[in-house]
Amino acid sequence: MITVDTCGTTAYSPLIPAIKAICDASPGDSLEVVMNNAEAFGDLKEYLSELGIGFREIYDGEYMTIQFVIT
């Protein structure tokens, strides 16, 4: 599983490393994106839904994780 931790990202949107990982991944790769930015997390869920990619959400205090497989 490829893990992208965007927590603490302040110079740019946490979506940038997440989308880069999605673009770099091959079909069948499992990805896990860890965020602490609720707005970016919601945007990523919306993006994956628009692409028809199912995902799993995990909430742990201030951290939010989304897991999915690239199709």
Side-chain angles (χ1 to χ4, degrees):
M1 180 175 289
I2 300 166
T3 300
V4 179
D5 185 350
T6 68
C7 297
T9 302
T10 57
Y12 49 82
S13 171
L15 290 174
I16 293 173
I19 298 300
K20 182 181 180 321
I22 292 169
C23 291
D24 291 346
S26 300
D29 284 349
S30 297
L31 272 78
E32 174 179 73
V33 181
V34 181
M35 296 183 159
N36 62 350
N37 180 313
E39 184 177 346
F41 188 72
D43 290 343
L44 181 57
K45 291 191 315 182
E46 184 176 335
Y47 176 71
L48 293 173
S49 292
E50 288 175 3
L51 293 177
I53 297 174
F55 53 86
R56 176 179 180 213
E57 303 172 54
I58 303 168
Y59 296 91
D60 183 17
E62 69 180 76
Y63 300 102
M64 298 155 283
T65 302
I66 192 163
Q67 297 175 335
F68 54 96
V69 176
I70 297 298
T71 54

